[in-house]
């Protein structure tokens, strides 16, 4: 089962109840993408004639504390969170994490919040960048409470080719990669949330592993692309 929404992501998250989902996975449009846009070194410029494009507007680094707080708030205890990002953005998350921990405590949540590590997604083919073009992306791994991973033999470098085909969504992530995260953090029947669902790959991975999916994206293009994909896995 899946449910889709079309709202501003932060507003959408604020409307969700406390501790209502079992896993949080997202690839949000982080601020540092702008530097690649301006230099024309990202495939996300496919439908663009300037620094702004039809696919998304970026989320400023100043919104990261609120984004991370809301992610922890809507997540059930003893569950996992994953954020896709680049190197500069990973530093923003680790810098603001202590503030988010303190805010959660002040809101009455005594459950331990943990930042474990940067998982490396090796795309096997270089992508955006200027000096030494990037062939990897980070997946930041957080935990609320304590939940053992399903498969402790999975390494922290996941090698899955990036999506590069005609007609693909500009920010599309491989389902195989997301399926690894979902299957390692969830049991069948649990709910996976992606508030920036884009191509819907997180939802496809959730459905393929027997989970339910809640997706959100403000973009019409996202919904036109993702909904048929998700319907194909029901």
């Amino acid at each position: 089962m899946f449910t889709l929404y079309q709202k501003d992501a932060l507003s959408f998250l604020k409307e969700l109840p406390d501790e209502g989902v079992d896993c949080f996975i997202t690839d949000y449009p982080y601020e540092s993408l702008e530097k690649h846009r301006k230099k024309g070194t990202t495939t996300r410029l496919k439908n663009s004639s300037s620094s702004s494009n039809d696919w998304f507007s970026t989320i400023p680094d100043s919104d990261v504390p609120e984004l991370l707080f809301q992610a922890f708030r809507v997540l059930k205890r003893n569950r996992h969170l994953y954020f896709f990002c680049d190197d500069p953005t990973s530093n923003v998350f680790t810098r603001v994490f202590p503030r988010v921990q303190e805010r959660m405590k002040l809101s009455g949540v005594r459950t331990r919040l943990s930042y474990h590590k940067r998982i490396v997604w090796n795309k096997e083919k270089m992508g955006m960048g200027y000096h030494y073009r990037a062939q990897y992306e980070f997946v930041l791994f957080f935990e609320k409470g304590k939940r053992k991973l399903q498969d402790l033999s999975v390494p922290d470098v996941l090698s899955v080719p990036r999506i590069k085909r005609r007609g693909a969504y500009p920010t599309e992530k491989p389902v195989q990669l997301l399926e690894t995260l979902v299957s390692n953090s969830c049991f069948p029947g649990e709910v996976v949330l992606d508030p920036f669902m884009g191509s819907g790959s997180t939802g496809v991975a959730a459905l393929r592993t027997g989970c339910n999916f809640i997706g959100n994206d403000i973009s019409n293009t996202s919904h036109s692309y993702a909904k048929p994909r998700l319907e194909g896995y029901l």
Side-chain angles (χ1 to χ4, degrees), residues 6 38 45 59 90-91 108 129-130 144 148 151 167 188-189 201 221:
Q6 189 168 8
K38 290 174 182 177
L45 280 164
I59 305 299
S90 71
N91 293 328
Y130 190 69
K144 181 178 181 180
K148 185 178 179 180
D151 184 355
S201 290
T221 304

Side-chain angles (χ1 to χ4, degrees), residues 60-115:
D61 289 344
S62 59
D63 281 349
V64 170
E66 183 67 25
L67 176 59
L68 188 54
F69 172 80
Q70 294 297 334
F72 273 117
R73 183 188 64 79
V74 303
L75 193 71
K76 293 179 182 177
R77 301 179 189 213
N78 305 317
R79 300 295 193 271
H80 298 150
L81 297 83
Y82 297 93
F83 281 90
F84 282 80
C85 67
D86 63 0
D87 183 55
T89 307
S90 71
N91 293 328
V92 174
F93 270 86
T94 54
R95 185 171 67 248
V96 305
F97 180 57
R99 290 161 48 193
V100 174
Q101 287 177 303
E102 184 60 28
R103 184 178 170 189
M104 288 292 288
K105 288 180 182 179
L106 292 174
S107 69
V109 176
R110 301 304 177 199
T111 305
R112 179 182 178 186
L113 310 180
S114 303
Y115 166 60

Side-chain angles (χ1 to χ4, degrees), residues 12 40 50-51 71-72 80 88 95 112 119 122 131 153 155 170 206 215:
F12 166 69
S50 64
S51 174
F72 273 117
H80 298 150
R95 185 171 67 248
R112 179 182 178 186
I119 299 168
N122 174 20
H131 297 107
S153 69

Side-chain angles (χ1 to χ4, degrees), residues 4-9 12 26-29 55-56 169 171 194-200 214-223 226:
L4 303 183
Y5 297 87
Q6 189 168 8
K7 301 181 180 183
D8 168 78
F12 166 69
T26 200
D27 173 29
Y28 84 103
W55 298 104
F56 59 80
Y169 195 83
T171 58
D194 185 349
F196 300 89
M197 69 176 182
S199 69
I214 297 175
N216 173 76
D217 204 295
I218 200 169
S219 165
N220 290 327
T221 304
S222 167
H223 284 262

Side-chain angles (χ1 to χ4, degrees), residues 114-126:
S114 303
Y115 166 60
H116 286 298
K117 67 187 318 178
R118 295 171 172 87
I119 299 168
V120 176
W121 169 31
N122 174 20
K123 303 179 182 182
E124 299 184 358
K125 300 174 183 177
M126 70 179 184

